[in-house]
Amino acid sequence: MKTTLLLSVLCAVMAVAASEVCGSVTCATDEICNNITNTCQCNTTFYTYTPGSRASPNNTCTGATFNIQVSKCRLEKQGYNTSGIRLNGTDSECLAVMEIVDGISEMTLHHSVTSSVCNTEAVINSTHVTYTNQLYIFARREPVQRITDAVVNVSCSYLLNLNINRKETLDPVVINIPEANGSYAAVMMAFKDSTYTMLLFDSDVLTVEDTIYLSVKVPDLDANTFKLKVVNIYASPTNSSNQKYYLLQNGCPASDVPADQLTVESNGVGIESRFPMKVFQISNSNTVYLYADLALCTTDCTTTCGSQSRSLIIQPVSGNTGTFLDAAVYNYDGSSARSK
């Protein structure tokens, strides 16, 4: 009760405090102007040092974005250095910046939850894909260090609505869709069976000519408004190779691959596209990375693929994202591989 009252009084005092113009900037209500340097500095009288208190940032998820904020001046009062707050990465995009929120100085991060950026990791269970990262808040070392560095886990979770039990091999990505006014998690999955229920795992051994079943899906997409279309599917021997072996081009099986190499089961009619595919091996490589280029349609956008004109018919679509999906990497058993 006393804590609540104290916070209420503090908020009331800060609300009536006038923002101070300092040089070319305006200070937050919990800052004062250093007239010598013309910079805004925390007014630490607004905050109380609490022994044992730890940093507690506020993390929310908007679309496919981490929104992290924590009081700059409260952190400094507790003994933290606010200049180096960052996610688990050293690039400039991983660093928090000062932002005035509702008149208060906050350290904020508005960052895409895309897998691998700032070492964000995707964890998938039977119902959700959850993107996790760590926020590093370092203690002030000078003139003395009185607290330890803080590492706070942050996460954003998205419903998959998929009726399968395990997805350890998935590598989802987030696509930005301006036409849909948001961002969505997209996943590529490989299954062992034609009912798309038995997921393929890293431990499963594949040989050339085995049939697997690819599914590309944007689970949270509004199926009444948009249809997902996979425009291209291609394979590379590594995740950084410029070598591309196209299986699907412009919505149709590529013209230079055998007719039964990849079949379009469904594409452009809902939020999921399906493709039975025969396993193949790229020369001098035991692994294959699969990728897909995605586009959106506001109506059904299937492509009619003739036997003589495959990959030549291009169906106009809206909302082309140009985003790549990383599928799982499947190891091949070279000793038992059959020739094509």
Side-chain angles (χ1 to χ4, degrees):
M1 181 66 180
K2 290 182 178 179
T3 301
T4 303
L5 180 60
L6 176 62
L7 289 175
S8 300
V9 172
L10 177 61
C11 291
V13 171
M14 294 173 66
V16 298
S19 298
E20 187 176 1
V21 176
C22 188
S24 60
V25 300
T26 300
C27 298
T29 55
D30 59 349
E31 293 179 322
I32 56 176
C33 180
N34 183 324
N35 294 315
I36 298 177
T37 60
N38 278 335
T39 58
C40 298
Q41 297 179 348
C42 285
N43 184 351
T44 56
T45 61
F46 280 139
Y47 300 95
T48 303
Y49 172 72
T50 305
S53 177
R54 291 291 177 261
S56 55
N58 180 35
N59 174 45
T60 59
C61 306
T62 303
T65 304
F66 284 122
N67 295 294
I68 304 168
Q69 69 181 60
V70 60
S71 170
K72 176 178 183 291
C73 294
R74 185 182 296 279
L75 285 179
E76 292 188 5
K77 185 69 173 184
Q78 294 302 119
Y80 290 103
N81 178 7
T82 58
S83 63
I85 298 175
R86 60 173 175 81
L87 291 174
N88 186 21
T90 56
D91 295 337
S92 59
E93 61 184 338
C94 305
L95 294 173
V97 297
M98 203 285 283
E99 182 180 357
I100 298 179
V101 181
D102 296 330
I104 308 301
S105 58
E106 302 272 354
M107 298 305 298
T108 66
L109 266 161
H110 305 286
H111 198 285
S112 169
V113 299
T114 304
S115 181
S116 78
V117 176
C118 295
N119 294 305
T120 299
E121 295 182 351
V123 178
I124 303 176
N125 60 24
S126 60
T127 59
H128 290 76
V129 51
T130 300
Y131 295 89
T132 62
N133 207 312
Q134 297 78 43
L135 185 69
Y136 291 83
I137 305 176
F138 300 99
R140 187 170 61 243
R141 265 75 173 164
E142 299 292 340
V144 295
Q145 180 179 344
R146 64 171 182 249
I147 57 173
T148 59
D149 297 337
V151 181
V152 182
N153 292 325
V154 293
S155 64
C156 288
S157 188
Y158 301 90
L159 184 65
L160 283 175
N161 293 323
L162 298 175
N163 187 26
I164 54 179
N165 294 324
R166 301 171 64 199
K167 305 181 187 65
E168 285 108 357
T169 59
L170 301 188
D171 187 6
V173 298
V174 169
I175 58 175
N176 294 311
I177 306 173
E179 291 79 1
N181 297 319
S183 301
Y184 299 85
V187 290
M188 176 184 278
M189 298 162 283
F191 295 89
K192 305 174 188 177
D193 63 321
S194 59
T195 60
Y196 294 81
T197 56
M198 298 175 60
L199 193 71
L200 191 66
F201 295 108
D202 289 338
S203 58
D204 292 317
V205 177
L206 297 177
T207 58
V208 172
E209 292 190 10
D210 285 344
T211 299
I212 62 174
Y213 300 85
L214 300 179
S215 167
V216 181
K217 189 171 185 177
V218 183
D220 292 332
L221 196 64
D222 183 359
N224 294 321
T225 305
F226 295 99
K227 311 299 179 186
L228 171 68
K229 179 167 184 173
V230 178
V231 181
N232 302 313
I233 295 177
Y234 66 88
S236 293
T238 70
N239 62 355
S240 60
S241 173
N242 292 324
Q243 181 182 354
K244 296 180 180 180
Y245 180 79
Y246 278 90
L247 305 170
L248 186 82
Q249 287 183 297
N250 302 323
C252 293
S255 58
D256 58 347
V257 300
D260 61 348
Q261 182 72 68
L262 181 130
T263 305
V264 180
E265 183 174 321
S266 65
N267 192 19
V269 295
I271 63 173
E272 180 183 20
S273 298
R274 292 181 168 185
F275 308 92
M277 186 193 82
K278 281 196 172 183
V279 172
F280 58 92
Q281 189 171 31
I282 299 177
S283 299
N284 301 318
S285 176
N286 290 325
T287 59
V288 170
Y289 283 74
L290 296 174
Y291 299 88
D293 294 336
L294 305 182
L296 293 180
C297 315
T298 53
T299 60
D300 289 353
C301 52
T302 56
T303 300
T304 302
C305 304
S307 60
Q308 301 301 318
S309 59
R310 288 180 298 162
S311 302
L312 300 179
I313 304 172
I314 302 176
Q315 183 80 13
V317 295
S318 65
N320 193 326
T321 66
T323 303
F324 295 128
L325 290 176
D326 287 349
V329 183
Y330 302 111
N331 292 315
Y332 291 84
D333 183 0
S335 62
S336 60
R338 301 183 297 271
S339 60
K340 292 173 119 178

